[in-house]
Amino acid sequence: NKKASVQRGGVNIANKTIEDIVTRIQDETEGVPIRTVKSFMTKIPSVVTGTDIVQWLMKNLFIEDPAEAMHIGSLIAAQGYFFPISDHVLSLKDDGTFYRFQAPYFWPSNCWEPENTDYAIYLCKRTMQNKTRLELADYEAENLARLQRAFARKWEFIYMQAEAQVKIDRKKDKTERKILDSQERAFWDVHRPVPGCVNTTEMDIRKCRRMKYPHRVKKSVYGLVEEGTQSRSPIHTPSHHCRKGTKEDVEKEILFLNTQLDRHRMKMSKVAESLISYTEQYMDYDQFVTAQEPSNPWTSDDPSLWDLEASKEPSQQRMKKWGFSLEEALKDPSGQELFLKFLESEFSSENLRFWLAVQDLKRMPQQDVAQRAQDIWAEFLAEGAPSSINLDSHSYERTSQNLKDPGRYSYEDAQDHIYKLMKSDSYTRFLRSNVYQDLLMARKKVSVCLSSSSHRSISVYISCIN
Amino acid sequence: MACQGLQGGETVASLKRESESLRKKLEEERKKLSDIELNQVAEKIEVLGPLSIKTRRVLKGHGNKVLCMDWCKDKRRLVSSSQDGKVIVWDAFTLNKEHGVALPCTWVMACAYAPSGCAVACGGLDNKCSVFPLSLDKNENLSAKKKSVAMHTNYVSGCTFTSSDMQILTSSGDGTCALWDVESGQLLQSFHGHTADVLSLDLAPSETGNTFVSGGCDKKANIWDMRSGQNIQSFESHESDINCVKYYPSGDAFASASDDATCRFYDLRADREVAVYQKDSVIFGASTVDFSLSGRLLFAGYNDYTINVWDVLKGTRASILFGHENRVSRVRVSPDGTALCSASWDNTLRVSWAAYL
């Protein structure tokens, strides 16, 4: 239950999902075969092969491509949930490489942020044990040297702690120690990764502040209690804006919900049809769905195609879009120009000019707004205005009122009214007009748009050839 | 005095009950009109053929995680910002770095290109959003002309210019969004309603519209009226933080990306979630989304370093893009729909496009 698990702990929701997977993958009946492998004179306890993990992921997460399974498996490894026993690099290979599962004690959900003192103890104790498998890698030796310099004053303390840990470890069963040593190493591979590897413990700073356990104290891997006060993690500061539901908040909510209940909703079947028809109309223009003619400047490596577009000679394909909606025509500067030209021929260009003026008004710097609003009134709405537009009395009254305190939204009603007028009246005539149709024909060329695959929607459009 | 306190407590409780029952009623109303699912109606349209998307440009130059990017209207330039405090303007076509600014703070989480192409805005941990006019003189220090516009009380998570260089809209960790006049720095409108950090916003694509959508850590996506500051519609169906919101090209719907490893599609007219994009193998949070030009494809960047390409109408995954070596923080389709840019914690940006034959 994802919702319930989000409440648990301060770890992101992805870790919960991964932990479910990691638990399932180790299940005796449904999981991978974890076994002890005999090798030369030794036994390798509790391992599974990379291939076993990849196969399990493919089957249980319904992954078709082994590459995808390896990718997600590598990420789960990088988070520290399983690891290759002979490598510090946490990734998943689809072969006989042996992997072991991490102990839940070391899982990220325990909110580990181990300090350098713990890391120093760990590296130190590794050098104390005479085992080839515990030899420090180059980068670890460098880290140890650095830590020795940084902790010069308390190195005796660290050394003693390392000795104590070695003593504790020696008391454990040989096989158990092998397993624990590898798990401990894998833990440090996550928190002190090999140089060049991704540090998966890095957090998005926007999310840091809201860790669920702000009061929590940084705990030590080796049970250390620092002398003096226990340090609180600097990133676990309590949230400044705990939005508790005050009475006003709830009253506002109720008001809002009541307004929402009154909303008119459209049936899903209608909505689906609308979305489908919009997308299908534009799919011919969508570079990721349909190969374009002329081709994509990126693929042809020819940026001059963009300059061509910027010129005042729109292609037929581009002009076709102006027929999709008034919005589309006005969005394109050339479309806007042509529509204006048409309106001039019908002596109704003041409508579009008014609409454009109000668009400009909304884009102005604040200090210029009031004056511009007055100018627009003078040009389009005042008595005897040079470009008088036709508004219904209601809108006119509203607008007149608004102008008493002119702002960038003073003309919203009026603009809306004029837009609807243009859309229902002038625009439809424009599409049938000679101005538009002749130009459309004039940009004639044979354009054939074919997709590369027979499955893809094929769009073929051939304009009139003379 | 004791009984007054008691009355106060009871009132809040009963109000909360009323609010809860209204919420349930709203859900019922929304369900009433869902006579069929989007993907069912979409069964009649042709399946997309195999997508072949190739990365052909890798923009290297940032010294740390790239957190945000935005395309210029000229379809080839873009601006990017990084955890190392740097903001870079690139010509993605030639890979040239054209401008660079070093901000005094780290984690520049938001950046935007002005519609004129003559300025960029950026902000982040400094709680501000500043505008930098882009100088033609390559030697000029851009910081000199910096204009501090927005001031929040917590980090700035997102910013966008409206239809001109004169206004910017910002979203913030302080739980609010705000509209600002660039020239004067004046706050024109603020938007209150989210109960936690707001992580993303997107302006409605309409020429006539005055609305925008925001999403945040309260798992809500809200639609706002820029004129009044009112929250006019709200959606809550994600199970964790909403990291990104983006309008569908017609403006009638929008998509969201969340830490719950899903992306969702909401239609404003139906007033509900109409699709969920998820898979068993998609476990990590989605941080960013953008639509292809027609709205048929939804590109989504994830914390597992991949970009999943979803068939918006059918609800299936059309493709998966590998390449980045750390989380994908931002994906954006170019203004003419010809290319996709992705920014990542691996310090790079990649530009990809469809390869045919």
Side-chain angles (χ1 to χ4, degrees), chain A residues 13 68 71 207 209 253 263 266 269 274 279 286-287 306 309 327 359 363 366 408 412 455, chain B residues 19 23 35 46 75 164 167 181 197 207 210 232 243 248 259 269 292 294 304 317 336 356:
Chain A
I13 197 172
E68 205 188 321
H71 179 85
K207 318 266 175 164
R209 298 181 305 131
E253 240 176 78
R263 169 186 296 279
M266 209 186 272
S269 48
S274 167
T279 287
D286 188 340
Q287 199 61 225
W306 280 316
E309 244 181 47
E327 167 118 13
Q359 288 294 86
R363 292 173 191 154
Q366 187 62 12
R408 64 183 69 239
E412 283 307 279
H455 291 294
Chain B
S19 162
R23 224 173 263 284
D35 47 350
E46 267 189 65
K75 305 149 194 166
S164 81
Q167 285 104 44
D181 179 63
D197 304 21
E207 294 287 289
N210 299 298
I232 53 182
N243 296 311
Y248 171 80
D259 274 350
R269 302 159 297 184
S292 69
S294 65
D304 68 2
R317 185 172 67 184
D336 62 353
Y356 293 97

Side-chain angles (χ1 to χ4, degrees), chain A residues 2-3 6-7 13-14 17-18 21 60-63 67-68 71-72 75-76 79 198 200 202-207 209-210 241 243 245 247 250-251 253-254 256-258 260-261 263-269 271-276 278-280 282-283 285-291 296-299 301-303 306 309 327 330-331 355 359 362-367 408-409 412 419 452-458, chain B residues 11 15 18-19 22-23 26 29-30 33-36 41 44-47 50-51 57 65 71 75-76 92-93 107 109 125 154-155 163-164 166-167 173-175 181 183 186 188 194-195 197 199 206-208 210 217 227 231-234 239 241 243 248-250 259-260 267 269-272 274 280-281 283-284 292-294 296-297 299 304-306 317 322 325-327 336-340 345 353-354 356:
Chain A
K2 254 194 186 164
K3 250 199 171 107
V6 172
Q7 315 308 325
I13 197 172
T17 316
I18 296 173
I21 291 171
N60 289 275
L61 298 184
F62 310 102
I63 299 172
E68 205 188 321
H71 179 85
I72 197 72
L75 274 165
I76 296 174
Q79 298 275 317
V198 173
T200 59
E202 273 188 321
M203 292 195 64
D204 183 337
I205 205 169
R206 303 171 304 174
K207 318 266 175 164
R209 298 181 305 131
R210 295 158 45 239
H241 49 264
R243 300 216 171 150
K247 191 163 165 220
V250 188
E251 279 170 348
E253 240 176 78
I254 290 171
F256 176 77
L257 288 166
N258 275 317
Q260 295 304 303
L261 278 165
R263 169 186 296 279
H264 166 74
R265 282 172 200 83
M266 209 186 272
K267 254 194 315 182
M268 234 356 264
S269 48
V271 161
E273 290 298 343
S274 167
L275 291 168
I276 290 169
Y278 179 92
T279 287
E280 289 204 303
Y282 283 88
M283 265 166 66
Y285 297 83
D286 188 340
Q287 199 61 225
F288 286 95
V289 175
T290 315
N296 188 336
W298 296 95
T299 39
D301 211 17
D302 184 11
W306 280 316
E309 244 181 47
E327 167 118 13
L330 292 178
K331 224 180 1 183
W355 188 86
Q359 288 294 86
K362 290 192 279 192
R363 292 173 191 154
M364 296 204 133
Q366 187 62 12
Q367 64 174 24
R408 64 183 69 239
Y409 297 117
E412 283 307 279
Y419 190 83
S452 56
S453 154
S454 56
H455 291 294
R456 207 185 301 247
S457 35
I458 297 172
Chain B
T11 319
L15 280 177
E18 190 184 337
S19 162
L22 281 174
R23 224 173 263 284
L26 185 60
E29 287 301 309
R30 283 168 159 171
L33 291 165
S34 68
D35 47 350
I36 190 169
V41 182
K44 64 183 177 185
I45 58 178
E46 267 189 65
V47 176
L51 281 181
R57 296 280 195 278
K65 309 176 179 67
W71 286 95
K75 305 149 194 166
R76 55 188 287 177
F93 205 84
W107 290 86
M109 304 160 184
L125 269 194
N154 216 308
Y155 63 85
S163 50
S164 81
M166 296 295 130
Q167 285 104 44
D174 66 15
D181 179 63
E183 229 185 41
Q186 188 189 344
L188 298 174
H194 278 288
T195 52
D197 304 21
L199 297 178
S206 167
E207 294 287 289
T208 53
N210 299 298
C217 296
R227 300 167 293 178
N231 174 8
I232 53 182
Q233 215 169 346
S234 188
E239 295 175 19
D241 298 359
N243 296 311
Y248 171 80
S250 76
D259 274 350
D260 69 8
D267 188 285
R269 302 159 297 184
D271 188 35
R272 63 187 285 269
V274 299
D280 285 289
S281 55
I283 304 165
F284 288 82
S292 69
L293 189 143
S294 65
R296 182 64 193 265
L297 300 173
F299 297 99
D304 68 2
Y305 321 169
T306 67
R317 185 172 67 184
F322 296 96
E325 295 169 7
N326 207 324
R327 299 192 192 190
D336 62 353
T338 51
L340 173 75
W345 280 21
W353 51 84
Y356 293 97

